[in-house]
Amino acid sequence: MSVIIGLDGYTLPGQFVLKELCIIYPNDEYNHFLLKKPDGYLSDLAKKTVRYTTEHLSNLSYEDGDVPYSLIPDILDKVKDLRIFTYSDVAVKFLQRFLPTTSIENVQIQGYQMPDQLPDPKCFRSHNPRYC
């Protein structure tokens, strides 16, 4: 069986901070997680990146979230024996940190391109539908 995993967050100097994780199963069921900010300090440059991303791209606040960041390994452990499809090298590298022996494929390499227009999002927050 395979799943699609979508990630959203902040690409900061030297790290990717995950804020939103969605696992989509073949029967169209899904698990959606909005993560609390991780423990630790953000540099001034990282704060600028987060602010820009929030204001101009995803409207995903660094302060939002209800799932502790520390639960990422437990969440991903549930799909470790499945084939995973995701989009972007950043997503593949992030997932491989937690799932080093799992088959993770970047559909971008297979020629998939993100659509130029998407339907209105049916999620719980107001933002550019490109990032839903």
Side-chain angles (χ1 to χ4, degrees):
M1 185 165 85
S2 61
V3 294
I4 300 168
I5 296 183
L7 306 178
D8 198 358
Y10 310 102
T11 302
L12 304 176
Q15 67 175 326
F16 176 76
V17 176
L18 181 65
K19 283 303 292 177
E20 190 171 26
L21 167 68
C22 189
I23 303 170
I24 305 170
Y25 298 92
N27 61 359
D28 289 335
E29 290 185 15
Y30 64 92
N31 296 118
H32 179 257
F33 306 92
L34 192 56
L35 297 144
K36 292 181 180 179
K37 66 181 181 179
D39 294 332
Y41 172 77
L42 286 180
S43 69
D44 288 341
L45 178 60
K47 287 178 186 175
K48 286 181 182 179
T49 301
V50 167
R51 188 172 29 255
Y52 179 87
T53 302
T54 299
E55 292 174 2
H56 300 284
L57 300 176
S58 68
N59 197 26
L60 188 60
S61 172
Y62 191 70
E63 302 299 323
D64 288 347
D66 55 355
V67 177
Y69 207 80
S70 61
L71 290 183
I72 293 171
D74 296 330
I75 293 166
L76 293 176
D77 189 61
K78 293 176 178 26
V79 296
K80 70 179 178 190
D81 296 324
L82 305 177
R83 187 175 181 192
I84 296 172
F85 294 94
T86 193
Y87 187 85
S88 85
D89 289 335
V90 171
V92 170
K93 288 176 187 171
F94 182 86
L95 292 169
Q96 284 177 334
R97 286 181 30 215
F98 299 95
L99 304 167
T101 61
T102 301
S103 172
I104 303 171
E105 296 186 42
N106 178 357
V107 297
Q108 190 176 25
I109 291 172
Q110 298 173 357
Y112 177 80
Q113 296 295 317
M114 294 293 276
D116 291 330
Q117 286 195 310
L118 297 172
D120 289 336
K122 305 225 181 328
C123 63
F124 57 91
R125 60 190 167 89
S126 172
H127 60 92
N128 182 337
R130 180 91 176 139
Y131 297 94
C132 189

